[in-house]
Amino acid sequence: MKKLMLTGFEPFLHFKTNPTMKIVEELDGQVINGFRIYGRILEVDFKKSGNQILDCWNEIKPDAVISLGLAAGRSAITPERIAINCNDGEQDNSGNLPSGEKIMEDGPDGLFSTLPIRSMVDKLKQQNYPAAISNSAGAYLCNHVMYQILYRLKQKELIRPAGFIHIPASHELAIQYGKIPSWFQEDLTQAIRLCIETLESYSQ
């Protein structure tokens, strides 16, 4: 059976919960369209998260990788098109404050997702879920781990579906944080299930 590595993040900055954790925990161990899901939670730490996702890759040896991140303020599910070779943004949970340095000194400026992002968006819209392709994963930890996994695939000359999807806040998080767009947690989880379903024919 094929393996899908699904990653989320722990809570970060001023957000007391992270809905990606709940998605990963719920889908871990499930089988969706021939993929067994292997869920992992990454730390919000520039010095650790890249190594963590690569260690998970080495452990699981997956046939596909989807990483999830919270984009509080977005109202739609947004598969990311590209990761850039840059660390920037606010300090992480360990106090590391990036300043625009490269993720990989010898890496290209950008690496494109190998997920079927257009198919994901189309499938979500067919089920009446707001969705759009995003052309910027930012330069924080979400971009960091996306770049790390795509760089690993490029180094090994492997063709695998791999990339990143940003999700809106859950209602629980919106209540804690304030006036931001939010979804029911169940809908966030179902939307990711639908995204995973697009991998079946794509990865043959």
Side-chain angles (χ1 to χ4, degrees):
M1 181 176 291
K2 292 178 182 175
K3 302 176 183 179
L4 168 64
M5 187 171 85
L6 182 68
T7 72
F9 279 107
E10 64 183 359
F12 65 104
L13 299 177
H14 42 267
F15 301 111
K16 295 180 180 179
T17 62
N18 191 327
T20 67
M21 288 184 66
K22 294 187 177 182
I23 295 172
V24 170
E25 289 166 356
E26 181 169 343
L27 297 185
D28 182 36
Q30 293 190 21
V31 176
I32 302 175
N33 281 9
F35 283 89
R36 183 172 297 281
I37 311 301
Y38 291 79
R40 298 292 186 270
I41 304 300
L42 306 176
E43 293 183 54
V44 177
D45 187 316
F46 279 100
K47 294 182 179 179
K48 295 180 180 179
S49 62
N51 288 332
Q52 287 173 347
I53 197 168
L54 296 180
D55 287 345
C56 292
W57 168 275
N58 291 333
E59 170 202 347
I60 298 167
K61 297 179 174 58
D63 300 284
V65 179
I66 295 178
S67 294
L68 305 176
L70 168 66
R74 291 189 189 181
S75 58
I77 301 291
T78 49
E80 297 295 343
R81 190 188 301 274
I82 189 170
I84 60 172
N85 192 7
C86 179
N87 287 328
D88 208 347
E90 299 182 67
Q91 70 178 20
D92 63 21
N93 285 355
S94 297
N96 301 306
L97 184 62
S99 58
E101 66 272 12
K102 286 187 175 183
I103 299 170
M104 293 292 181
E105 283 297 329
D106 62 342
D109 291 340
L111 290 168
F112 285 93
S113 172
T114 54
L115 294 175
I117 57 175
R118 176 58 63 189
S119 295
M120 289 179 171
V121 168
D122 289 346
K123 191 174 186 71
L124 288 165
K125 286 183 174 180
Q126 288 167 8
Q127 298 298 318
N128 296 316
Y129 286 111
I133 292 173
S134 168
N135 291 316
S136 175
Y140 198 54
L141 270 298
C142 296
N143 175 79
H144 181 88
V145 299
M146 180 182 177
Y147 190 94
Q148 290 272 13
I149 204 71
L150 292 173
Y151 182 80
R152 169 61 63 87
L153 290 171
K154 180 179 176 64
Q155 276 188 316
K156 291 186 173 294
E157 298 182 345
L158 292 173
I159 299 174
R160 298 281 192 282
F164 200 94
I165 301 173
H166 268 118
I167 67 169
S170 62
H171 290 332
E172 177 188 9
L173 189 59
I175 290 169
Q176 295 172 359
Y177 180 68
K179 296 180 179 180
I180 53 175
S182 60
W183 290 27
F184 286 109
Q185 183 69 48
E186 294 81 1
D187 286 328
L188 292 171
T189 302
Q190 177 60 17
I192 298 306
R193 282 196 186 96
L194 292 171
C195 288
I196 294 170
E197 288 177 5
T198 67
L199 297 178
E200 183 181 24
S201 59
Y202 181 81
S203 60
Q204 298 297 321

